[in-house]
Amino acid sequence: MTPPLSRRGVLAGAASIGGAALGATATAAQAQARAAEARRPGKAVVFRDVRPFGAGETMELTVVDGKFTDGPAPAGAEIVDGGGRIALPSLVDAHIHPDKTTWGSDWISRKPADGIADYCEQDVEVFRTQKRPVGERAYGLMAHAVTRGTRAMRAHADVAPAYGLAGAEGVAQARERLGDALDVQIVGFPQHGVVRTPGTADLLRAAARDGLVDMVGGIDPISFDNAMDEQLDLLFDLADRYDVGVDIHLHDRDDKGTKVLRGIIERTRALSLRGKVTVSHVFCLPLLKDAELEAMAGVLADLDIALTTVAPSAELVLPIAKLKEYGVRVGLGSDGVRDSWSPFGNADMLHRAHILGWFTDVRLDEELAACYAAGAHGGADVMGLPRVEFKAGDPADFVLVRGEGVPQVVVDMPQRDVVVHGGRVVARNGELV
């Protein structure tokens, strides 16, 4: 997780796009039943009077078995009236920490902190004093994200002796309850360090071995863990041995960051883990000179190493447009939400796309649309999900909003009136259905 940063200056970059905490009332069994109903053969829905990407003319979108089709609507299909609203691809949160959140709980007053170690101590205090378990708090936040149009998220859950595997287990419980509305990848994240905190490595190994997590994480192998080779060797061995991915937090802004990147590249190549490795934040990249950045982007693309940014400031947001020129997958995420690290955050990825545009000082319509694309297509690319472009065969994961077009939606952030996942309406007017 990233220490809160002040907003400073501007930096351009992105690629173009085509064209409340809720009550814990649903049981896992009910969620599974709804998901099964949504997937049953022949399930058909027609969304009438909608404008994909803000098109001038309205049209119908036909969905069968959770995917768009260009064929005729089957007899007896359910009809949903879009009322002339814009249809946009649902968004993907490529980096979030739902296990830490106090969303839906009483307000907590934060204390001064100086560095990651201090934040970790405060994380433990919050964990011990929260009346609601991780699963309840994570569910509330993740359900809220659904109502704001999030179709999928990569959830980092702390793994450390202070918690055991409670964080990952709680997020897994929330994922099960939201199985019909949200796709979730869980990262076992060693916020307290892999090497500097004895016992963490064994917990990561157990989580990967037992299938509790989809990926294993790391954090600043040099500046925080003080053991680059030991940390990276362990993480990549777990990935290779248990067929999980790797997603490493990298905050270093100097040559330590590029040294870690080179270590990640070497191990990705040596173990043939192409397409299974992500580096989050990567604050060293925006600070590289153009020639160095281009050389690094070429290598990252060749090994299909993905990157994520939470757009924390103008100086540290990744240069998305330049990286995409080389074919690097780049996703956008919301990071921590109302936790010990920061009182801010809302798990609303449209708001995060808005922040990306604000920090990068964009003005043109295509630049604003590119911010939406970073939150929709970029995150889908990082998570290995199909993009939603309203073509036959695409997953029917989309939102309906009132507005003129994508650029205006990014600026005004209208309410997500209808949220559709797998062809099924899962939220209306800010509440789960």
Side-chain angles (χ1 to χ4, degrees):
M1 193 166 167
T2 309
L5 294 159
S6 60
R7 192 178 78 190
R8 303 179 298 271
V10 294
L11 180 73
S16 61
I17 191 169
L22 302 170
T25 57
T27 66
Q30 289 171 331
Q32 291 171 349
R34 289 198 301 268
E37 169 65 15
R39 292 191 298 267
R40 69 178 174 83
K43 179 69 175 180
V45 186
V46 176
F47 295 86
R48 288 180 175 169
D49 196 22
V50 298
R51 298 184 293 126
F53 298 113
E57 299 292 328
T58 63
M59 61 178 295
E60 291 185 351
L61 296 173
T62 301
V63 177
V64 176
D65 297 337
K67 295 183 178 181
F68 294 111
T69 178
D70 53 9
E78 178 185 355
I79 305 298
V80 176
D81 183 6
R85 291 174 176 81
I86 298 174
L88 292 173
S90 295
L91 293 151
V92 176
D93 194 328
H95 188 104
I96 187 171
H97 294 260
D99 65 312
K100 295 177 184 287
T101 192
T102 63
W103 188 269
S105 300
D106 294 338
W107 180 261
I108 63 169
S109 297
R110 281 94 189 152
K111 302 175 183 178
D114 183 18
I116 292 175
D118 284 353
Y119 286 113
C120 289
E121 289 182 8
Q122 294 183 26
D123 280 342
V124 174
E125 182 178 351
V126 169
F127 175 79
R128 290 174 176 169
T129 57
Q130 282 292 299
K131 297 177 182 178
R132 299 159 64 223
V134 173
E136 290 296 325
R137 290 183 282 116
Y139 172 79
L141 182 64
M142 292 159 68
H144 172 77
V146 170
T147 69
R148 269 53 184 173
T150 293
R151 66 183 276 222
M153 62 173 54
R154 181 172 289 176
H156 295 256
D158 279 15
V159 171
Y163 322 109
L165 296 175
E169 290 168 348
V171 173
Q173 291 165 9
R175 173 173 65 180
E176 185 175 13
R177 293 173 66 182
L178 290 165
D180 64 333
L182 183 68
D183 298 323
V184 181
Q185 294 174 353
I186 301 176
V187 183
F189 174 50
Q191 179 78 79
H192 297 189
V194 177
V195 178
R196 68 182 284 159
T197 304
T200 300
D202 290 338
L203 288 168
L204 284 173
R205 184 175 293 105
R209 180 194 64 221
D210 298 341
L212 177 60
V213 299
D214 304 290
M215 312 185 81
V216 289
I219 180 169
D220 298 329
I222 296 176
S223 63
F224 186 64
D225 229 4
N226 301 311
M228 186 186 86
D229 289 335
E230 190 174 351
Q231 181 188 133
L232 293 183
D233 285 347
L234 171 72
L235 297 179
F236 278 82
D237 177 68
L238 293 178
D240 184 48
R241 185 182 302 271
Y242 298 113
D243 192 27
V244 295
V246 177
D247 192 327
I248 297 176
H249 285 55
L250 184 56
H251 305 105
D252 295 315
R253 310 179 192 187
D254 52 18
D255 58 355
K256 290 192 292 292
T258 53
K259 182 177 181 179
V260 171
L261 265 183
R262 288 193 292 271
I264 291 170
I265 287 167
E266 290 169 3
R267 288 162 175 82
T268 302
R269 181 182 289 115
L271 293 174
S272 300
L273 292 177
R274 187 179 190 279
K276 298 188 68 174
V277 176
T278 301
V279 190
S280 295
H281 306 308
V282 212
F283 292 158
C284 60
L285 276 183
L287 305 179
L288 292 178
K289 295 180 180 179
D290 287 346
E292 295 173 310
L293 174 63
E294 291 169 1
M296 184 66 76
V299 176
L300 294 172
D302 182 59
L303 291 171
D304 197 17
I305 295 173
L307 308 176
T308 65
T309 183
V310 299
S313 71
E315 290 85 356
L316 298 178
V317 63
L318 290 177
I320 298 175
K322 175 62 70 175
L323 291 165
K324 289 183 70 65
E325 286 179 11
Y326 285 83
V328 180
R329 293 179 291 139
V330 185
L332 183 65
S334 57
D335 209 14
V337 177
R338 201 167 298 182
D339 53 24
S340 67
W341 294 62
S342 173
F344 295 102
N346 55 17
D348 184 339
M349 284 301 297
L350 180 54
H351 184 222
R352 187 60 52 167
H354 175 100
I355 290 173
L356 175 64
W358 185 293
F359 276 145
T360 54
D361 194 29
V362 301
R363 296 179 56 252
L364 305 181
D365 283 0
E366 57 267 30
E367 294 172 328
L368 289 163
C371 292
Y372 196 92
H377 298 336
D381 292 347
V382 168
M383 288 187 62
L385 301 173
R387 292 185 174 190
V388 177
E389 296 175 318
F390 301 101
K391 299 176 181 177
D394 288 356
D397 297 346
F398 62 98
V399 297
L400 298 180
V401 300
R402 295 188 182 277
E404 299 177 56
V406 180
Q408 177 259 327
V409 167
V410 171
V411 172
D412 289 346
M413 299 177 288
Q415 174 177 276
R416 278 36 45 103
D417 293 339
V418 178
V419 180
V420 180
H421 188 79
R424 178 179 171 276
V425 176
V426 295
R428 286 184 182 274
N429 303 321
E431 296 187 2
L432 289 184
V433 300

